[in-house]
Amino acid sequence: TGPLTRGKPSVTDSLPVNLSENDLLRLSASLDAHSEHPLAEAIVQAAKNRSLSFAPCNDFDSITGQGVKGRIENQLHFLGNRRLMGTLGISIEPVSNKAEALESQGKTVVFVSTDTTLLGAIAIADTIKDNSSHAINDLKARDMDIYMLTGDNEKTAQAIANQCGIQHVFANVLPSEKADKVKSLQTKGLKVAMVGDGINDAPALAQANVGIAM
């Protein structure tokens, strides 16, 4: 979704579980202060906008395609997607319905937990670039099929795709899986041009017939 959006995501909603919104945002920002992901920057900025103080975070680590973890106040905390919560065995039931409603609006929802307990969720949204739909329509007019290849979940990805007029969506795709998706299209006899991040998408860009790094 990155090439289609402005790249300036912001926090729009928070769904705390048994703690305040400020405490949920403070913990999340304390973790994400160590991350370079655009969604992390949005959470950090939201905490700064509320003048929240960050807690020290130790043992920080990024979990590829899932999220991040770190130790805050002697407790291991995690922030990431549904896949991460599933890996941890954390139930998202307390916020599941509201999270799905937010995702259907094109927002990305990240979940916050300890190693045993869900603490809540935070929704983040970016806006589509003014010229994205025009560019997609122009490519379609040249008899090109457009596919969205994203790590976002199905609901979020489909909402963004609908705004841009994209019919084909591969969602919940890890960075390591993107090259396989490109290859699957090539095995059908298609010539593939891939537009993506020059770091995370490097294998897919190399696999494509034409790789365009942004």
Side-chain angles (χ1 to χ4, degrees):
T1 53
L4 301 170
T5 56
R6 294 180 184 275
K8 295 181 179 180
S10 59
V11 171
T12 60
D13 307 85
S14 60
L15 306 173
V17 176
N18 297 326
L19 75 170
S20 69
E21 284 192 15
N22 280 351
D23 284 341
L24 177 64
L25 190 57
R26 172 179 170 272
L27 284 170
S28 302
S30 298
L31 270 174
D32 272 342
H34 298 265
S35 174
E36 297 180 351
H37 196 285
L39 298 185
E41 294 177 15
I43 290 175
V44 169
Q45 187 58 53
K48 289 181 178 178
N49 291 344
R50 294 193 183 192
S51 300
L52 301 179
S53 59
F54 293 12
C57 177
N58 299 311
D59 303 323
F60 175 85
D61 193 19
S62 177
I63 306 167
T64 302
Q66 297 187 52
V68 297
K69 67 177 180 178
R71 192 171 298 277
I72 300 173
E73 298 168 351
N74 295 320
Q75 174 68 59
L76 197 58
H77 287 79
F78 296 83
L79 185 152
N81 55 24
R82 292 171 185 270
R83 189 192 297 258
L84 177 59
M85 294 297 107
T87 300
L88 296 171
I90 303 292
S91 172
I92 62 170
E93 184 62 30
V95 299
S96 182
N97 290 341
K98 291 182 178 179
E100 287 185 10
L102 293 169
E103 289 166 347
S104 67
Q105 299 170 25
K107 298 177 181 180
T108 297
V109 177
V110 294
F111 301 89
V112 188
S113 76
T114 65
D115 51 352
T116 60
T117 308
L118 181 72
L119 299 178
I122 294 176
I124 303 160
D126 204 344
T127 53
I128 302 297
K129 293 174 184 173
D130 294 337
N131 60 355
S132 288
S133 294
H134 175 78
I136 296 300
N137 288 333
D138 185 46
L139 293 171
K140 286 180 176 179
R142 299 165 189 249
D143 294 325
M144 296 186 191
D145 289 326
I146 312 301
Y147 290 75
M148 176 187 288
L149 185 57
T150 177
D152 281 336
N153 68 78
E154 187 69 39
K155 286 183 178 293
T156 301
Q158 194 60 59
I160 299 273
N162 290 343
Q163 293 179 52
C164 295
I166 297 175
Q167 293 179 310
H168 308 288
V169 178
F170 291 133
N172 293 308
V173 183
L174 293 172
S176 60
E177 298 171 340
K178 290 185 176 181
D180 290 335
K181 293 295 185 181
V182 172
K183 188 181 296 184
S184 72
L185 294 175
Q186 291 171 324
T187 58
K188 297 177 182 178
L190 300 176
K191 295 290 188 290
V192 180
M194 168 77 181
V195 182
D197 184 303
I199 300 174
N200 288 330
D201 296 336
L205 291 168
Q207 176 64 42
N209 300 87
V210 178
I212 305 166
M214 297 182 69

